């Protein structure tokens, strides 16, 4: 397995030159596009790592499954589903891509920004600061790492420049789908995206999702198995955005990407994988990261299909 990861690192390193680091959040433009880190945690407790697996980056959209899990724990499936749907496209089979019909919860998905912003309103807490703290603590618990914290510079950078997310939040508000103030909800969302992790943290979190909600070391049930099924299923269909179909064919495991360069891969019952490679394709997914996962999946027969 050590040799396999070293080989993957060698083979996939050149792909880091095929992508670009995100620049629409100015602070992310400082990332080193040549970074590539891999961390694998297996169900027998062994872990394997290669490259810049220790390097820290912001979790960005990889927080979306965690937000969803906490919303499920706080409210149960019925309430979450009534607020944010689960369909990859949110459109009927004969939809024309332009519509002026009202926005409904069925059009939302927890893995894309608008759905994740709506999910923030479901996290319990007397203030949005408290909601974020609960999310941060839950992330630390899933990763088994109490040192996980907020990257203040990335948070402030996105808060200052996040017009598109503001537009999405105002759209939710205009359709009566956001009861609270746009700025306070977005503040929680921007902070959530700016949680600082490394590949190991992502592999540990992925492992809990692969292990039906049970932590590896403590054997503690961190969330019910049915929530693992719910979150993994949505990651499978939408975790790589509009690249999810291609990813399902090439890799075939539930995964979630983020524009910080992270990918969290869940191989049910077998392993959690954390990847860091911040050079992204045009869809916002890590180019070298997908290459690593594709090769890992082929050589270890990980695809669930
Ligand atoms: N914080 C980012 C945003 O909202 C997250 C997007 C992503 O990682 N794909 O734009």
């Amino acid at each position: 397995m050590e040799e396999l990861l070293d080989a993957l690192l060698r083979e996939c390193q050149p792909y880091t030159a095929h992508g670009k680091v995100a620049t629409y959040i100015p602070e992310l433009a400082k990332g080193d596009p040549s970074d590539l880190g891999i961390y694998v945690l297996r169900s027998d407790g062994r872990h394997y790592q290669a490259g810049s697996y220790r390097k820290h980056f912001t979790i960005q959209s990889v927080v979306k499954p965690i937000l969803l899990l906490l919303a499920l724990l706080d409210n149960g499936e019925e309430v979450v589903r009534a607020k944010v749907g689960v369909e990859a496209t949110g459109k009927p089979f004969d939809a024309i891509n332009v519509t002026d019909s009202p926005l409904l919860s069925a059009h939302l998905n927890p893995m894309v920004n608008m759905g994740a912003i709506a999910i923030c309103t479901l996290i319990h807490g007397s203030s949005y600061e408290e909601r974020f703290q609960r999310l941060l603590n839950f992330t630390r618990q899933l990763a088994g790492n109490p040192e996980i914290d907020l990257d203040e510079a990335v948070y402030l950078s996105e808060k200052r420049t996040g017009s598109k997310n503001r537009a999405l939040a105002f759209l939710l508000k205009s359709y009566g789908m956001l009861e609270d103030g746009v700025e306070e909800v977005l503040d929680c969302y921007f902070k959530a995206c700016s949680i600082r992790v490394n590949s190991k943290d992502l592999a540990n979190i992925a492992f809990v999702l692969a292990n039906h909600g049970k932590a590896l070391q403590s054997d503690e049930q961190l969330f019910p198995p049915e929530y693992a099924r719910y979150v993994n299923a949505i990651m499978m269909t939408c975790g790589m955005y509009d690249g999810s179909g291609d990813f399902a064919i090439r890799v075939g495991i539930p995964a979630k990407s983020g524009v910080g360069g992270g990918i969290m891969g869940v191989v049910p019952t077998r392993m959690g994988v954390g990847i860091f490679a911040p050079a992204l394709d045009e869809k916002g997914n890590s180019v070298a990261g997908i290459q690593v996962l594709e090769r890992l999946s082929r050589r270890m027969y990980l695809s669930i299909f």
Side-chain angles (χ1 to χ4, degrees):
M1 187 79 189
E2 280 101 352
E3 293 96 84
L4 174 59
L5 289 200
D6 288 341
L8 293 183
L9 194 66
R10 242 187 350 265
E11 289 167 30
C12 299
Q13 184 71 53
Y15 287 93
T16 60
H18 295 201
K20 290 195 174 69
V21 296
T23 52
Y24 78 101
I25 300 172
E27 199 61 26
L28 293 184
K30 297 179 181 168
D32 179 352
S34 67
D35 269 330
L36 176 56
I38 315 169
Y39 195 101
V40 173
L41 175 61
R42 291 198 323 201
S43 52
D44 60 6
R46 288 171 183 256
H47 55 85
Y48 304 89
Q49 52 280 317
S52 10
Y53 69 92
R54 281 198 195 89
K55 200 141 177 190
H56 287 97
F57 54 92
T58 49
I59 194 164
Q60 297 299 335
S61 284
V62 187
V63 80
K64 287 168 179 158
I66 306 172
L67 264 172
L68 175 59
L69 270 174
L70 188 55
L72 285 165
L73 283 170
D74 281 353
N75 305 275
E77 189 175 325
E78 211 177 311
V79 170
V80 171
R81 218 157 147 160
K83 182 92 186 173
V84 175
V86 296
E87 301 307 334
T89 69
K91 298 188 188 96
F93 71 92
D94 58 350
I96 298 167
N97 249 345
V98 178
T99 171
D100 55 7
S101 59
L103 192 66
L104 302 170
S105 59
H107 300 138
L108 303 182
N109 177 296
M111 296 298 128
V112 293
N113 292 12
M114 208 188 248
I117 292 166
I119 292 275
C120 288
T121 70
L122 294 177
I123 304 298
H124 288 178
S126 58
S127 65
Y128 273 87
E129 180 51 33
E130 190 184 324
R131 294 174 201 228
F132 170 69
Q133 281 304 328
R134 290 191 60 244
L135 177 74
L136 181 61
N137 285 332
F138 186 51
T139 307
R140 289 170 174 161
Q141 199 188 8
L142 292 175
N145 179 4
E147 281 168 16
I148 290 178
D149 220 329
L150 176 71
D151 185 322
E152 193 81 20
V154 174
Y155 153 62
L156 291 173
S157 183
E158 185 167 3
K159 188 176 168 71
R160 205 175 53 241
T161 55
S163 314
K164 189 78 174 279
N165 284 320
R166 271 187 189 91
L168 294 176
F170 275 111
L171 203 60
L172 285 170
K173 187 94 184 155
S174 74
Y175 283 107
M177 297 169 78
L178 199 75
E179 294 78 23
D180 298 329
V182 162
E183 254 339 292
E184 58 179 350
V185 179
L186 282 175
D187 196 65
C188 178
Y189 173 76
F190 292 145
K191 279 184 178 155
C193 292
S194 303
I195 292 174
R196 197 195 298 111
V197 291
N198 60 21
S199 313
K200 178 179 178 179
D201 296 321
L202 293 190
N204 284 340
I205 297 167
F207 184 84
V208 188
L209 280 159
N211 199 34
H212 313 296
K214 229 182 211 190
L216 179 68
Q217 312 297 351
S218 62
D219 229 24
E220 194 186 342
Q221 192 75 43
L222 299 178
F223 51 85
E226 57 268 29
Y227 292 169
R229 199 173 344 118
Y230 192 99
V231 174
N232 290 341
I234 299 178
M235 283 204 287
M236 188 73 239
T237 53
C238 202
M240 307 296 283
Y241 313 113
D242 45 343
S244 299
D246 181 61
F247 187 85
I249 294 167
R250 288 167 61 190
V251 186
I253 60 167
K256 185 73 205 81
S257 63
V259 291
I263 304 181
M264 172 172 92
V266 175
V267 189
T269 72
R270 290 179 63 184
M271 64 180 77
V273 185
I275 307 269
F276 169 54
L280 310 176
D281 62 19
E282 66 290 346
K283 293 179 174 170
N285 295 324
S286 168
V287 180
I290 293 178
Q291 288 289 334
V292 169
L293 288 169
E294 184 174 11
R295 284 153 204 257
L296 188 70
S297 173
R298 275 221 204 110
R299 290 180 208 177
M300 298 195 71
Y301 305 95
L302 301 182
S303 174
I304 62 174
F305 298 107

